[in-house]
Amino acid sequence: MTSPHRASDTPFAVNVELGKDYFWCACGQSKSQPFCDGSHKGSSFTPIQYSADASKEVYFCGCKASNNKPLCDGTHKNPV
Ligand code: FES
Ligand code: FES
């Protein structure tokens, strides 16, 4: 499987709303990071759904290498 595109070196802080679903871009090609805009079509990637269990600020992974997708787990600090 090919690696995702590293869309950002840092996470995206987003204010999510309780009960809403968000679709995180796993391929890194979306123009509206950190969310999917359909650019993955034709690749092996599909977006990952995030269902907000509270209204709060969360950090979505921008480097696309997190081991806790779709959220940032600090992996972006590792050298590439
Ligand atoms: Fe990246 Fe859809 S655009 S997963
Ligand atoms: Fe990907 Fe932090 S931005 S792990």
Side-chain angles (χ1 to χ4, degrees), residues 12-76:
F12 295 89
V14 176
N15 288 307
V16 297
E17 285 180 47
L18 170 66
K20 279 200 177 177
D21 291 332
Y22 299 83
F23 292 88
W24 177 79
C25 168
C27 72
Q29 302 292 353
S30 172
K31 298 279 187 291
S32 49
Q33 291 295 329
F35 302 120
C36 173
D37 72 351
S39 296
H40 64 269
K41 289 200 180 80
S43 77
S44 58
F45 292 99
T46 49
I48 293 178
Q49 182 173 350
Y50 174 86
S51 300
D53 58 4
S55 294
K56 60 184 177 183
E57 185 178 55
V58 299
Y59 291 86
F60 286 102
C61 172
C63 74
K64 310 302 178 184
S66 172
N67 292 306
N68 187 33
K69 299 177 180 61
L71 302 178
C72 170
D73 70 350
T75 297
H76 64 270

